[in-house]
Amino acid sequence: MINYNDGYFNFTSLFQVYGSAAYKATVFASMSSAVYLMMIWYTGFEEGAVQEYNLLEHPYPITVICTAFMFVLSAKVNFCYNRYWEACTALHSMHSKWLDVGSTMAAFHMQSNV
């Protein structure tokens, strides 16, 4: 669990390293950027020059990229869907507890002589 420190509008939590996914993602983002730059260097990209061979003209690299993207997207959507139904269950439980409180208060109010 992340412990939040008191500060000016809790601004210090923006730069917190512990529990942040941004610092974990920078390693993989830099590796993928390096692979992309090597692909551009390998194809001999020059400003204004016509490339003889482009890796993304063939449908197979696009298929691999789209397949990987769809696996990641479906996992995230599944996680969000489960969180939504967990919140609905918690809301329903809260509603039933408030109904119990209301019915108990009504029962004790009807029995009092006040």
Side-chain angles (χ1 to χ4, degrees), residues 49-69:
V50 177
Q51 294 181 3
E52 296 177 9
Y53 180 71
N54 190 357
L55 290 175
L56 297 180
E57 285 180 359
H58 202 272
Y60 288 151
I62 298 296
T63 304
V64 170
I65 291 170
C66 290
T67 303
F69 179 73

Side-chain angles (χ1 to χ4, degrees), residues 36-104:
Y36 176 71
L37 290 174
M38 284 191 296
M39 284 173 46
I40 288 178
W41 178 73
Y42 175 72
T43 58
F45 178 74
E46 295 176 4
E47 199 66 37
V50 177
Q51 294 181 3
E52 296 177 9
Y53 180 71
N54 190 357
L55 290 175
L56 297 180
E57 285 180 359
H58 202 272
Y60 288 151
I62 298 296
T63 304
V64 170
I65 291 170
C66 290
T67 303
F69 179 73
M70 288 308 296
F71 275 124
V72 170
L73 185 66
S74 64
K76 292 297 278 182
V77 168
N78 189 18
F79 183 70
C80 293
Y81 184 72
N82 288 336
R83 285 187 69 183
Y84 170 76
W85 282 111
E86 183 181 357
C88 288
T89 304
L91 187 65
H92 187 282
S93 175
M94 182 184 69
H95 184 263
S96 69
K97 297 299 178 185
W98 277 110
L99 183 64
D100 290 343
V101 167
S103 62
T104 304

Side-chain angles (χ1 to χ4, degrees), residues 1-46:
M1 182 170 168
I2 300 174
N3 295 325
Y4 294 105
N5 298 328
D6 293 336
Y8 188 68
F9 293 113
N10 208 3
F11 189 70
T12 57
S13 65
L14 289 176
F15 302 107
Q16 187 171 3
V17 177
Y18 179 74
S20 176
Y23 294 102
K24 296 174 189 173
T26 54
V27 174
F28 297 107
S30 61
M31 287 191 317
S32 64
S33 298
V35 168
Y36 176 71
L37 290 174
M38 284 191 296
M39 284 173 46
I40 288 178
W41 178 73
Y42 175 72
T43 58
F45 178 74
E46 295 176 4

